[in-house]
Amino acid sequence: MLINETSKKTELTKKAIEYYIEQGLISPSILDNGYRDFSRDDVKKLEKIAVLRKLGISTDDIKIVLSDESKSALQTLVV
């Protein structure tokens, strides 16, 4: 799905989504016409990012949480 639909679905602004792409938190595929194509996984990740940001967690810490296989990084940040 394109950024407009992704924005509506996640309730994030296009500017916020672009920022999260710049920060390397998500990486949607690029279509032949240059548009970004967001997958369901990208949307789920954006929804998770939105919750973590509302909790006041920085984008640097969110990178750690998203890449943490053991799921213990979030617990470490909260404590």
Side-chain angles (χ1 to χ4, degrees):
M1 81 184 67
L2 300 179
I3 196 165
N4 282 334
E5 188 178 350
T6 302
S7 176
K8 288 176 187 171
K9 198 166 194 110
T10 60
E11 298 182 357
L12 292 168
T13 64
K14 288 188 260 182
K15 190 85 170 167
I17 294 170
E18 289 168 353
Y19 176 75
Y20 298 141
I21 293 168
E22 280 177 24
Q23 295 302 306
L25 297 175
I26 60 166
S27 28
S29 58
I30 308 292
L31 300 173
D32 290 339
N33 60 8
Y35 290 0
R36 284 169 265 187
D37 184 28
F38 296 86
S39 67
R40 286 186 181 164
D41 286 340
D42 292 328
V43 171
K44 286 180 186 177
K45 197 177 279 191
L46 284 167
E47 290 169 343
K48 187 174 186 177
I49 291 167
V51 170
L52 294 171
R53 290 294 296 141
K54 286 179 185 173
L55 293 172
I57 298 173
S58 71
T59 53
D60 288 336
D61 287 340
I62 290 173
K63 278 183 195 178
I64 294 167
V65 170
L66 293 177
S67 64
D68 181 30
E69 298 285 326
S70 68
K71 307 295 184 214
S72 63
L74 183 58
Q75 216 170 22
T76 305
L77 291 172
V78 175
V79 176

